[in-house]
Each structure stands twice: as C-alpha cells, then as structure tokens.
Amino acid sequence: RCGIPSIAGVVGGVRDAVIDGFTGWCVDPFDRLALEKVVREAMFDRECCLQYGFNAKSYFSDKLCSERVLEQFLSHVGVSSDQPVGIS
C-alpha cells in the first residue's frame, strides 16, 4: 500500500500478494544462494526497488483496495454494488 517492494517465500499464501519480478521477489526460503541474491538486489538496486515499489502501489490501488474487493465479492454473489446491503 505504501509503494514498498516485498520479498516473499514461495510457500504459503504470501506468494499470492507478491508478483515475482513486478511488485517484488518470490524466493525459496530454503535456497540460501537464491535468497542472498534477492536480498542483495533489494539492498543495492535502487532503480529496481523504486520500480517494484511503484508497481506494488499501483497494483494494490487497482486490484486490492477494499472498495474493489467488495465490488468483486458482491458481483460474485450476484448482488449489484448499487443495491443497499444490510442485515434483515
């Protein structure tokens, strides 16, 4: 949300939130050399970090903001986002 690139492990659900090579890096946490390479790139490649951070903020704003997620959910369950939703 803040435009910060991320490093995520390739196991579990975290990978769903990080697009490897676009919003950050996905790496096998048990592969020491691959992890070291990614950490070094994140520390020393300022241009890459700025681009991944920009991409992360844009992606979050476009795809993952609460209003967008709510629209997608309501559409999935067959409710128009124009309809009032409440508990009856």
Side-chain angles (χ1 to χ4, degrees):
R1 186 172 192 177
C2 298
I4 299 172
S6 300
I7 298 173
V10 292
V11 256
V14 176
R15 186 174 185 173
D16 294 338
V18 178
I19 302 169
D20 189 41
F22 185 70
T23 64
W25 300 265
C26 293
V27 64
D28 180 349
F30 300 107
D31 183 340
R32 195 184 114 244
L33 295 177
L35 185 57
E36 181 181 329
K37 179 179 180 252
V38 163
V39 170
R40 285 184 186 279
E41 187 174 1
M43 289 174 59
F44 299 113
D45 190 339
R46 180 167 169 74
E47 190 63 34
C48 183
C49 283
L50 289 172
Q51 185 63 56
Y52 285 3
F54 175 81
N55 294 346
K57 186 170 186 171
S58 298
Y59 182 77
F60 177 86
S61 297
D62 186 44
K63 304 283 187 206
L64 302 176
C65 71
S66 58
E67 293 85 9
R68 180 76 178 127
V69 171
L70 178 60
E71 278 179 26
Q72 290 174 340
F73 172 75
L74 292 175
S75 173
H76 182 71
V77 296
V79 175
S80 167
S81 59
D82 297 333
Q83 283 180 269
V85 177
I87 300 173
S88 49

